[in-house]
Amino acid sequence: MHMSETKLVVRYVETDQMGIVHHSNYFAWFEMGRTGYIKDMGVRYSDMEKKGVLLPLIESGCKYRSGAKYEDELVVQTRMVNLSPVKVQFNYQIIRDADGTLIAEGFTKHAFVNKELKPVNIRKKHPELWEILNRAID
């Protein structure tokens, strides 16, 4: 199973009054990880969209394990854990690079839809994309 790593540095604007990263930022970081994961597979999100394949979020979750602070260097580890012709799930772990502390872990589930937001069977409609994604999960 492929795992992608995306590095980031916590910006001041991402912290709250207590100096800890605000919980809302983790989902943006999950998106950064997912985009990097797909790019590592040889496909860009924008290329998928040009083919008429969109990935709206249908479910998400996050468990916060430890606080991250301003200027912490973090790594978003992303894995695709479930893939079907109509949906996909990614799991994430956010780790502080300096000491390996698990900061947060979460998941997002997405449907494959067309530009009219109708479900798409990616295996039938875009077999080349299916093959790329399917290889990553094996």
Side-chain angles (χ1 to χ4, degrees), residues 17-40:
Q17 186 176 5
M18 298 174 287
I20 297 172
V21 169
H22 190 268
H23 66 274
S24 62
N25 292 289
Y26 290 87
F27 292 94
W29 296 344
F30 290 170
E31 181 179 347
M32 289 172 61
R34 185 173 60 255
T35 301
Y37 182 95
I38 291 172
K39 187 176 180 181
D40 284 354

Side-chain angles (χ1 to χ4, degrees), residues 113-126:
V113 301
N114 63 21
K115 290 182 180 180
E116 289 76 39
L117 303 181
K118 304 286 184 203
V120 170
N121 182 320
I122 192 171
R123 184 170 46 195
K124 290 180 181 176
K125 185 83 173 164
H126 299 281

Side-chain angles (χ1 to χ4, degrees), residues 19-75:
I20 297 172
V21 169
H22 190 268
H23 66 274
S24 62
N25 292 289
Y26 290 87
F27 292 94
W29 296 344
F30 290 170
E31 181 179 347
M32 289 172 61
R34 185 173 60 255
T35 301
Y37 182 95
I38 291 172
K39 187 176 180 181
D40 284 354
M41 296 295 89
V43 180
R44 293 183 342 194
Y45 243 112
S46 58
D47 293 336
M48 290 175 57
E49 291 176 345
K50 287 175 187 171
K51 292 181 179 208
V53 178
L54 306 176
L55 286 174
L57 183 70
I58 57 174
E59 187 178 345
S60 64
C62 185
K63 290 184 183 181
Y64 306 97
R65 302 294 186 183
S66 184
K69 297 186 175 188
Y70 174 57
E71 291 187 335
D72 275 354
E73 295 179 7
L74 305 177
V75 177

